[in-house]
Every structure is written in C-alpha cells, then in structure tokens.
Amino acid sequence: MTTLNELHISSPALRHMGQTISISPAQTPASTTRRHVLVITGPAGCGKSSVANYIAQALGLLYIEGDDFHSEANVKKMSNGIPLTDDDRWEWLETLRNKAVEVLTNGAPGCVVTCSALKRKYRDVIRLAGKEADDVMVRFVYLRANEALLLQRVRQRQNHYMKDDMVKSQFTALEEPDETETDVLPVDVSGTLQQVQSAALRSVEEVMHK
C-alpha cells in the first residue's frame, strides 16, 4: 500500500465555502487545540455531497468532494455498472486521506470529506489521518438509509455515473459501523434534506465541543 508521503496529487475538488481561507473564532465552534477531519459516509444516494456542503458552510471548513478523486478507470467501471474492488479503492482512499492531511498541514482547522467508506477497512485507511498529530480528530458521519430509498433517489439523478445497479452492489459490500467504532456518528436520512443536514450538523457540533 502506498504511504502518505509517496502520494503526490493535484486538488481538483478542494473547495472553500466562503471568500477566504482564514477562519474567525466566531465561525469555529471547535476547540482551538483540535483540528478535525469530518468524513461524510454512506452508499450512493444517501446525500453525502449535500450534507458535506452544508456542514462545510456552517463551520467555515474546506470541503473535499471524494468523487472528484476517482481515477478515470474507476469512473468508467462504475458508469458501466461494474462494482469497484478493494484494489480499485486503495489509492483513492489514500489520496483522500492525504488530501485531508495536506489541508491541515497548510493551516486549516479542519475539513469535510465525502467518501462512501463502505467497509471498516476502508474507514481504517482514513482513520490514519488521526495519527498525523495528537490534535487531529477524525469523525465519520454515517448517513444511514434503506436500499429502497436510495434506489429511488439515484434513479432521479441526472447525468451521474452512479446507476441503480451500483446502489445494490454497494449495499452488498456495506459493513455498517458497530458500537466498537466509537468515532462514527450515525444519522438517519429518511427525513427531508433539511432535517438530515440539521441532524448531521448537530451531531458534529456536539463532538467538536467535547
């Protein structure tokens, strides 16, 4: 597996939801002694991008859209309804972790990352970002939904490579976080988008204030 230091990547999806990168104390609910990597996870159609965007804007953090870092080969496979293998995902996961670490190294107090992180071993790859320094905390916001709901949502999408067959394959691969993964914040997504966004933000703010 490639190490963090061996990866050299561009940043097509590094986004800031505001005019400047500097964060004022009023914008930052987190303790000044901690930096945060907030990973919004779940299968296709659960609303990762919408929730991540909302949290990034609310907290004044940088937003990293995980889908933008997939290789062309991965996008082609998914567009053709071919599930990604573990080997397909390793470099992508490492790239997202590396980008999160890069953002913190450049002085940001945190970032919000979208990543399906379907299996525990995938989440473990991202968790290594928390080993970079004692003040770095990684939290996963797991957007939980049933397969029927996500199939409905994906079918309503326009011009997206993720088709309904991929939702089924992702549910087959999904390993839901259990009680031993204490850094995971589950959020039910059966409500309206506004309800889900608000619930996710509340969960994040609670752990950031601890």
Side-chain angles (χ1 to χ4, degrees):
M1 184 180 289
T2 312
T3 66
L4 272 173
N5 292 330
E6 290 170 340
L7 277 170
H8 301 283
I9 61 175
S10 60
S11 53
L14 184 61
R15 304 169 185 171
H16 185 260
M17 315 312 298
Q19 298 301 314
T20 62
I21 290 179
S22 61
I23 307 298
S24 70
Q27 290 177 294
T28 309
S31 166
T32 56
T33 62
R34 292 179 179 175
R35 294 175 289 166
H36 297 268
V37 177
L38 306 174
V39 189
I40 314 304
T41 74
C46 67
K48 292 187 292 293
S49 296
S50 297
V51 171
N53 234 321
Y54 182 81
I55 292 175
Q57 290 188 59
L59 301 181
L61 300 179
L62 293 168
Y63 167 37
I64 302 171
E65 173 55 61
D67 280 352
D68 288 354
F69 289 90
H70 273 299
S71 67
E72 289 185 12
N74 281 1
V75 172
K76 184 176 180 180
K77 288 184 73 171
M78 289 185 286
S79 298
N80 291 325
I82 303 172
L84 299 183
T85 66
D86 287 352
D87 287 341
D88 293 327
R89 293 181 183 275
W90 291 135
E91 186 171 357
W92 175 64
L93 291 164
E94 290 172 325
T95 297
L96 293 182
R97 181 189 66 198
N98 192 43
K99 178 51 62 180
V101 171
E102 179 184 315
V103 165
L104 300 185
T105 300
N106 288 339
C111 60
V112 184
V113 185
T114 54
C115 175
S116 53
L118 299 172
K119 299 181 181 181
R120 180 165 186 157
K121 60 185 176 182
Y122 299 164
R123 296 187 287 275
D124 286 342
V125 173
I126 305 296
R127 284 186 174 104
L128 290 176
K131 303 296 184 182
E132 289 296 306
D134 292 339
D135 66 332
V136 175
M137 299 188 67
V138 178
R139 289 289 184 270
F140 297 87
V141 178
Y142 171 50
L143 303 180
R144 178 182 288 152
N146 61 57
E147 184 174 347
L149 175 61
L150 298 191
L151 282 170
Q152 176 186 351
R153 290 181 177 178
V154 167
R155 286 166 181 159
Q156 294 171 347
R157 283 179 171 178
Q158 300 292 324
N159 303 318
H160 195 280
Y161 60 77
M162 191 69 74
K163 304 298 190 294
D164 54 2
D165 284 348
M166 294 305 298
V167 174
K168 296 175 183 177
S169 69
Q170 288 201 351
F171 262 90
T172 299
L174 178 63
E175 296 174 2
E176 284 207 321
D178 60 26
E179 66 278 358
T180 66
E181 295 184 72
T182 57
D183 54 0
V184 177
L185 310 172
V187 175
D188 179 77
V189 301
S190 59
T192 66
L193 176 59
Q194 292 74 20
Q195 289 171 334
V196 174
Q197 289 172 328
S198 296
L201 179 60
R202 283 196 303 272
S203 294
V204 166
E205 288 180 323
E206 285 176 5
V207 298
M208 291 177 78
H209 280 102
K210 288 182 179 179

